[in-house]
Amino acid sequence: VTALGNGVFTERSVVRRVTLPETITTIYGTFQYCESLEQVNLPNGLRSIGGSAFSQCTHLTLDAWPDSLRSIGEDAFVNCQALKDVVLPAKLETIGKDAFAYSGVTSVRLTSSAVKIGDEVFQNCKSLKSFLLEGDIKSSIPWRIFWNCTALESAEFQGDIVPHQEIYFLASIGREAFSGCTALNKVVIPKNVTFIGSDAFLDCRSLESIDLGEQLKDMESEVFMDSGLKSIHLPETLTSMGVATFWGCSQLESLVLPLRLERIMGMIDAGSGVKRLEVKNRKPKDMNQWDFVEVYDKTTLVVPAGSKEAYAQHEGWGQFKQIEEAAPTVYTFYADISV
């Protein structure tokens, strides 16, 4: 016997322990809704755990994951509440959509050199506290990967985002990826991220800082809305930032906009704590006068030396009640005059 098909043990509520032969290489939707299943061995030659294989096995515990494992299918461990510490093997290549969603996992560590992770893999895992991927991730950090993981404190992606069979490649963090992770205080994202989707860090109240790397080009709307950010460096590669990016960030007191930023929209509001907004362009960028209407009175606009008058006369920027000039930049040049 090398494979177990769909439905072999489905809804067998009396089954508590299963011993599989070492010849098994594939498990399909075999044990779904076996709510009393507590123990099953994963054979050393197992290569694939199929979709819904252990879905709704609420009492299942797993002590070891075989090194031979290559793929985990969609919904494979949905609502497996007894799962705790999960250490996935180095040869793992894919984890399907919702694979561990609504489960009881407390920590996840992946040692894989490059793995493709589907959408919503760990969504609503209320006990998950830490996640570590030591290698690269293929395609992107997916949509809603940690949505509503309210206990998640640390999430680290130590490698890069690498292309995976796509013609057009965008190194991205998907929409709502960390949304609702209210305990998240440490996050490490790949250095080559170029795009962050909307609501990616929405309501991350414990997140005080984040390193965005030096390749980020575009952020959609509400990326850090209602987060606990105290400081943030926006890389000079950033050209577009959506509306409400920092709305409700009450602890963020200053913000410096990159020189190349073209799309200027209302990224802060009355609920944000920004008291100092600095721009680097000597010539004011186009913006709608309504974009910052709630902060014109409380936020000081800091502009390059010699450009205060140009900003004060602008239809939009001129609405700021306080406009100051930054100190002139002094450059020191050294010449080699040796003969």
Side-chain angles (χ1 to χ4, degrees):
V1 178
T2 59
L4 293 176
N6 290 322
V8 175
F9 291 94
T10 297
E11 297 184 9
R12 299 293 180 88
S13 59
V14 297
V15 176
R16 293 191 176 184
R17 180 177 298 180
V18 174
T19 302
L20 300 177
E22 291 299 313
T23 55
I24 296 292
T25 60
T26 305
I27 299 174
Y28 294 100
T30 306
F31 298 97
Q32 55 186 325
Y33 289 98
C34 289
E35 296 180 357
S36 297
L37 182 63
E38 298 176 358
Q39 292 183 353
V40 61
N41 65 303
L42 299 181
N44 290 325
L46 184 66
R47 294 178 61 88
S48 175
I49 297 175
S52 301
F54 296 94
S55 174
Q56 308 298 330
C57 293
T58 54
H59 289 83
L60 177 67
T61 61
L62 291 173
D63 296 327
W65 300 76
D67 292 337
S68 57
L69 190 63
R70 298 292 195 277
S71 67
I72 298 174
E74 295 185 6
D75 304 313
F77 296 95
V78 165
N79 202 32
C80 289
Q81 290 296 318
L83 289 182
K84 299 303 177 185
D85 298 321
V86 174
V87 180
L88 297 174
K91 295 180 181 179
L92 188 66
E93 298 174 354
T94 61
I95 304 176
K97 181 178 181 292
D98 282 311
F100 293 91
Y102 297 86
S103 71
V105 293
T106 55
S107 68
V108 177
R109 178 186 173 196
L110 289 92
T111 59
S112 176
S113 57
V115 61
K116 181 174 175 57
I117 301 177
D119 295 334
E120 302 173 309
V121 166
F122 302 104
Q123 72 163 322
N124 220 60
C125 290
K126 295 294 184 69
S127 299
L128 180 61
K129 291 187 176 181
S130 66
F131 172 87
L132 172 63
L133 172 57
E134 297 179 347
D136 297 332
I137 184 170
K138 296 178 181 177
S139 300
S140 66
I141 295 177
W143 175 61
R144 281 191 165 192
I145 179 174
F146 299 113
W147 178 81
N148 207 33
C149 290
T150 53
L152 184 65
E153 298 176 355
S154 172
E156 299 183 56
F157 294 83
Q158 295 185 344
D160 288 329
I161 298 176
V162 297
H164 182 64
Q165 300 178 352
E166 285 118 349
I167 298 175
Y168 301 103
F169 172 57
L170 190 67
S172 65
I173 297 176
R175 296 176 179 177
E176 301 179 76
F178 299 87
S179 179
C181 295
T182 53
L184 185 66
N185 57 58
K186 179 181 181 181
V187 59
V188 177
I189 63 174
K191 298 295 185 183
N192 66 333
V193 166
T194 59
F195 174 86
I196 302 178
S198 60
D199 302 324
F201 296 92
L202 174 68
D203 208 25
C204 291
R205 303 172 194 171
S206 301
L207 185 63
E208 297 184 356
S209 65
I210 183 173
D211 183 355
L212 298 176
E214 295 299 333
Q215 298 185 41
L216 182 64
K217 296 180 180 179
D218 184 25
M219 288 197 296
E220 289 190 328
S221 60
E222 302 175 1
V223 169
F224 294 102
M225 186 175 178
D226 292 330
S227 72
L229 283 178
K230 289 185 176 180
S231 64
I232 189 168
H233 166 69
L234 299 176
E236 289 300 325
T237 52
L238 188 65
T239 59
S240 178
M241 184 161 52
V243 69
T245 303
F246 300 105
W247 280 20
C249 296
S250 59
Q251 299 186 75
L252 184 64
E253 295 189 353
S254 65
L255 192 62
V256 180
L257 303 184
L259 187 66
R260 297 180 185 178
L261 191 64
E262 294 290 340
R263 194 171 72 175
I264 306 291
M265 303 181 73
M267 71 278 294
I268 56 177
D269 72 336
S272 69
V274 176
K275 299 176 182 178
R276 184 179 188 273
L277 178 65
E278 182 177 346
V279 295
K280 296 183 178 182
N281 306 85
R282 293 184 60 82
K283 181 180 179 181
K285 294 281 186 180
D286 290 336
M287 56 90 79
N288 191 308
Q289 62 177 317
W290 302 107
D291 281 345
F292 297 95
V293 66
E294 295 181 320
V295 301
Y296 285 138
D297 293 331
K298 73 167 190 174
T299 303
T300 298
L301 177 65
V302 182
V303 301
S307 61
K308 179 178 179 179
E309 184 176 353
Y311 276 88
Q313 294 178 356
H314 189 274
E315 182 181 16
W317 296 108
Q319 301 296 314
F320 280 89
K321 302 301 182 184
Q322 298 182 67
I323 302 178
E324 298 179 358
E325 290 187 352
T329 303
V330 178
Y331 297 96
T332 303
F333 298 91
Y334 297 90
D336 184 356
I337 58 174
S338 60
V339 176

